[in-house]
Amino acid sequence: MNQLFFIFLLVLFSLVTLSCSHDTVVNVPVFVGGGKLISAQPIKPQQLQLLNGVYDVIDGSDQFGKKVVVKRTGKTLSIFTGKNAGLFVFQCGRIDSTLIFEGYWRYTQGGETGLAQFEIPAENNGKPLLQGILPTPSFFFQGKIGNGSAEPTINITLQYNSPLKDTTFVILAHRGGGRNSDRLPESENSLGMIQLAESFGANGIEIDVRLTKDGIPILFHDENFSPRLVNGDYCVGPVSNYTFAAIRTLCTLKNKELVPTLKEALEVVVNKTTLTYVWLDIKSPEAIASAAALQQEYQKKAFAAGRKLDIYIGLSNDELVDRYKKENMVSSADALCELSMEDVRAVNAKVWAPRWTLGPLGSNAQAMHSENRKIFVWTLDQREFILPFLTQGNIDGILTNYPALIAFEYYVFQ
Amino acid sequence: MMRFVLIVALLLSFCISQLCSTERNAGPYISFPYPFQQYTLCYSIGASLTIFPRSVVEEEIRQIPMVNTSVRYGLPYNFSLITQFSTVYIINSVSAGAMWSYPLGDVSLALSDEFTYWFGFADLDGFDTQAMGLLNRPGISVGIDIDDYKITMKSEMLILFSQHTYFGSASVGKVKPEIAGVVTSAILEQDIWKSTFMSFALRAHYARPNYQVWLAFAVQDRWLLYPDVQISFVF
């Protein structure tokens, strides 16, 4: 009996160790030799913007659904599809009057990906677009895709349907752009991920802020270091046990990036993106003061650079609310509050951010709007849960792990 | 998954090599596929703990043990009725089904099928949510009776028939049968001490996000491993 019990314990132990899972990154495929863009001139953003619109999928609907949204996203052109939260991200250029778009497509909820190459020939709408003439319903945006690193050979044809409505709707990308479990090419809460957020469809980001032992605010979600987020055999236990120098020495994020400071992250937001919203999800009360100081500094920098940028101190629990009040921030900083409407009022938060699991907001939304506060709902990732909120039409933004999905649903719904 | 299968195969080989006495211990059992005496009842009470993949729950959901109870009732023609109930409030399940057994000396085989209705409630801060679903679990078991121990290897498929989620005043639902996973179990039932019978079960759920993590609202379709341990008293 003892032998059998021992083997049983061995199996138990093995089972426990078997429970670990590894998120393998899905790499972005690239064109060998740089593709055609290597010898292309840039396209002006305002010219690229003319391609914005809702398009019908003539060839490729099996893979991407019947409609897609095409949108200029910073310096890139993105296409958002409803299927599997799919997207295309194109770098753009022109050779004479032929417009070239090269990049990749990806199911952000699945991981399938491949190369993508589109063209607008000079004699077929290339010249008019460069001259500022809007596409018409007879405009076809065509190209090819491949699977993985294979050369693109599968035809995709999109037909222009309608323009995108001007909107102030906010699509916030969770953890800077996405989570490690989504196997994106950059780690969550990294500088690289922040720079990808716009091409994924976001115009804002949410980032997680913690304090190191020596009081430096860094971007990190979990309370403890673990193989889920970091590499480094000596990076274990609470983040707050480590100085910033120790973290930089001992740990990297999963894709080998350095753990960024909040200052570095806001520097990237202001200087390398056109994001307009940043939600600082503060993880400990001690971080509020330093986060608020950086909020003030970078909102001023953005203003000086002619940029619109709203940075919010996120208050997710009573401890944070109490500390925010204690630090006398109510009149000096901009807050976002996840708690009750009374708490929102108590801290004079600019944004109320209720969890989506409370359901549609009804008259509560009207009350908040009448007080000139915005409403962001979090974290919505599935179409069937998103639609009731879009249908009610009383929210100002959504925090999501799949900004491409929200962008698609929002613009097609509009 | 392969490692688990190899380890269980080693365990099974060890057990087979220990085969000796044909005298069967007549103690109670729940999972062992040997035919149940007609119109007799046996039940178990215990607890189980499922280890959730970190990529699904991160630090957000803490695993706490579920309380389980199972009942087996013998019917004619080697059939048994099986019911199970598990609860931890946030997630609960009720199962009912049948097993048909076929004895081959010290080895027994069984086919089983159970329907599981699961339901969960979350009315804590930030949640006004409920979810429920219906699963079917067809399975096959092989059991070996060795002296005081009854060892069962069971393999089941999880077929998800429906799932509904209610959040505030809204609800969404899906009614579409799909294979959601497979479960492989190794169960040891034995007399521990002075006719106190216990059951120890190790399960490997290899599945899309398990109903036990419904509160994570995971959207990734990847099949991941959810190991599960259960210990029960059998009466």
Side-chain angles (χ1 to χ4, degrees):
Chain A
M1 196 269 274
N2 286 336
Q3 278 177 306
L4 203 61
F5 202 63
F6 172 74
I7 289 178
F8 191 88
L9 288 177
L10 187 66
V11 173
L12 169 64
F13 176 74
S14 304
L15 257 185
V16 170
T17 58
L18 279 171
S19 69
C20 59
S21 61
H22 178 60
D23 294 316
T24 312
V25 167
V26 174
N27 288 317
V28 173
V30 293
F31 284 91
V32 173
K36 292 183 184 178
L37 284 177
I38 202 114
S39 52
Q41 303 283 317
I43 303 175
K44 291 178 188 165
Q46 56 268 35
Q47 291 165 330
L48 216 49
Q49 188 106 354
L50 294 172
L51 286 168
N52 285 4
V54 178
Y55 287 65
D56 296 315
V57 181
I58 309 301
D59 296 315
S61 57
D62 285 346
Q63 251 176 307
F64 301 113
K66 292 183 180 164
K67 283 197 188 311
V68 297
V69 168
V70 175
K71 190 171 185 292
R72 179 182 75 89
T73 48
K75 294 179 187 169
T76 53
L77 186 80
S78 298
I79 302 178
F80 308 118
T81 84
K83 210 163 178 181
N84 294 315
L87 81 156
F88 291 68
V89 178
F90 288 117
Q91 304 298 326
C92 316
R94 62 179 180 87
I95 297 174
D96 296 325
S97 298
T98 293
L99 307 182
I100 313 278
F101 306 89
E102 285 180 338
Y104 65 95
W105 68 271
R106 161 117 195 214
Y107 288 155
T108 52
Q109 283 182 356
E112 291 93 325
T113 189
L115 289 169
Q117 191 172 53
F118 278 45
E119 262 187 37
I120 302 175
E123 67 281 6
N124 190 12
N125 287 301
K127 270 189 184 159
L129 269 166
L130 290 171
Q131 288 163 359
I133 298 170
L134 280 168
T136 65
S138 64
F139 170 63
F140 290 88
F141 189 24
Q142 291 174 291
K144 291 182 196 289
I145 62 164
N147 290 309
S149 301
E151 277 298 303
T153 55
I154 303 165
N155 288 329
I156 303 292
T157 305
L158 311 177
Q159 182 176 9
Y160 182 83
N161 180 307
S162 53
L164 297 185
K165 295 229 166 142
D166 280 338
T167 180
T168 54
F169 193 75
V170 184
I171 301 173
L172 295 135
H174 195 211
R175 301 200 193 159
R179 302 165 301 181
N180 282 1
S181 55
D182 294 310
R183 300 181 292 162
L184 296 167
E186 304 285 344
S187 301
E188 63 182 63
N189 280 311
S190 69
L191 300 180
M193 183 66 91
I194 290 170
Q195 293 175 79
L196 285 181
E198 283 181 289
S199 60
F200 289 171
N203 51 8
I205 55 170
E206 177 263 6
I207 47 180
D208 302 289
V209 182
R210 287 194 177 277
L211 226 51
T212 63
K213 190 177 179 181
D214 50 346
I216 307 292
I218 60 169
L219 267 53
F220 202 81
H221 179 267
D222 291 357
E223 191 176 344
N224 300 294
F225 287 123
S226 72
R228 184 183 88 74
L229 289 181
V230 294
N231 308 309
D233 292 335
Y234 301 104
C235 251
V236 288
V239 172
S240 55
N241 283 357
Y242 293 77
T243 62
F244 179 64
I247 292 169
R248 277 281 163 100
T249 306
L250 298 172
C251 315
T252 57
L253 298 174
K254 287 311 284 189
N255 293 328
K256 302 193 171 68
E257 309 98 326
L258 294 173
V259 175
T261 63
L262 176 57
K263 188 174 173 66
E264 288 167 342
L266 293 176
E267 196 71 40
V268 162
V269 168
V270 170
N271 295 319
K272 295 193 179 177
T273 77
T274 55
L275 293 165
T276 49
Y277 294 90
V278 178
W279 170 349
L280 303 178
D281 188 357
I282 308 295
K283 294 302 193 187
S284 63
E286 296 73 30
I288 287 179
S290 42
L294 287 168
Q295 175 200 49
Q296 306 267 345
E297 179 186 343
Y298 280 90
Q299 283 192 156
K300 282 181 188 157
K301 279 190 179 180
F303 182 77
R307 285 250 281 113
K308 175 185 169 4
L309 180 64
D310 290 325
I311 304 175
Y312 300 114
I313 302 291
L315 306 174
S316 57
N317 58 48
D318 292 331
E319 258 190 303
L320 291 170
V321 166
D322 291 342
R323 186 61 168 259
Y324 188 81
K325 289 184 201 171
K326 201 173 164 189
E327 300 270 358
N328 294 318
M329 303 254 169
V330 175
S331 53
S332 59
D334 292 340
L336 172 153
C337 185
E338 298 178 27
L339 305 176
S340 67
M341 292 196 297
E342 289 66 38
D343 289 309
V344 169
R345 290 171 182 131
V347 296
N348 196 25
K350 294 265 188 323
V351 180
W352 179 38
R355 203 167 188 150
W356 74 269
T357 43
L358 286 170
L361 304 172
S363 57
N364 290 341
Q366 283 170 316
M368 288 283 103
H369 282 144
S370 69
E371 295 167 19
N372 221 22
R373 304 183 209 273
K374 289 194 199 309
I375 302 173
F376 297 161
V377 173
W378 64 279
T379 303
L380 276 165
D381 292 336
Q382 290 169 266
R383 183 173 190 268
E384 52 267 33
F385 298 134
I386 293 164
L387 288 179
F389 288 94
L390 289 181
T391 308
Q392 293 229 333
N394 56 6
I395 58 172
D396 302 289
I398 292 176
L399 172 62
T400 179
N401 290 300
Y402 305 106
L405 177 64
I406 304 291
F408 173 82
E409 295 296 344
Y410 178 78
Y411 285 110
V412 167
F413 180 79
Q414 289 297 306
Chain B
M1 187 65 186
M2 273 309 296
R3 275 186 282 171
F4 174 76
V5 170
L6 279 170
I7 286 162
V8 170
L10 271 171
L11 172 63
L12 209 56
S13 310
F14 171 78
C15 296
I16 291 170
S17 73
Q18 297 293 305
L19 273 173
C20 47
S21 166
T22 54
E23 189 181 323
R24 181 161 296 108
N25 186 311
Y29 52 91
I30 287 282
S31 306
F32 190 64
Y34 190 77
F36 225 56
Q37 207 170 344
Q38 288 183 40
Y39 310 121
T40 58
L41 185 136
C42 188
Y43 65 96
S44 71
I45 297 173
S48 65
L49 181 71
T50 305
I51 297 163
F52 303 138
R54 198 132 200 189
S55 61
V56 175
V57 300
E58 299 180 351
E59 283 186 343
E60 310 300 324
I61 297 179
R62 306 274 183 237
Q63 292 123 358
I64 50 177
M66 292 179 81
V67 174
N68 311 106
T69 178
S70 301
V71 176
R72 185 170 170 182
Y73 183 71
L75 294 173
Y77 306 107
N78 292 348
F79 277 95
S80 307
L81 270 177
I82 35 181
T83 66
Q84 295 180 60
F85 174 66
S86 302
T87 181
V88 74
Y89 184 70
I90 285 177
I91 182 66
N92 314 275
S93 69
V94 178
S95 299
M99 180 193 292
W100 176 76
S101 304
Y102 186 72
L104 290 167
D106 285 323
V107 174
S108 302
L109 304 173
L111 298 172
S112 61
D113 194 26
E114 287 179 67
F115 278 90
T116 300
Y117 176 69
W118 67 266
F119 51 102
F121 307 97
D123 46 13
L124 2 136
D125 285 342
F127 288 87
D128 178 15
T129 323
Q130 299 168 39
M132 54 209 64
L134 184 65
L135 290 167
N136 180 236
R137 300 162 59 137
I140 182 165
S141 308
V142 175
I144 298 173
D145 192 344
I146 309 169
D147 291 344
D148 290 335
Y149 337 120
K150 295 176 175 56
I151 299 163
T152 305
M153 290 296 306
K154 187 173 186 180
S155 190
E156 295 167 282
M157 183 174 287
L158 298 176
I159 303 171
L160 179 70
F161 277 97
S162 69
Q163 184 161 335
H164 290 266
T165 307
Y166 299 86
F167 50 107
S169 58
S171 67
V172 298
K174 179 169 70 169
V175 180
K176 184 186 163 195
E178 53 191 22
I179 295 174
V182 294
V183 184
T184 304
S185 311
I187 307 155
L188 171 67
E189 293 168 284
Q190 64 176 106
D191 179 359
I192 288 292
W193 183 63
K194 288 191 178 178
S195 298
T196 300
F197 292 87
M198 290 192 75
S199 166
F200 305 91
L202 303 173
R203 291 192 186 87
H205 299 250
Y206 186 57
R208 276 193 271 133
N210 202 331
Y211 67 88
Q212 291 192 46
V213 293
W214 72 270
L215 209 50
F217 297 104
V219 298
Q220 295 113 346
D221 244 0
R222 283 179 291 156
W223 285 33
L224 296 172
L225 188 64
Y226 298 72
D228 181 294
V229 176
Q230 182 174 332
I231 298 175
S232 308
F233 287 95
V234 185
F235 305 97

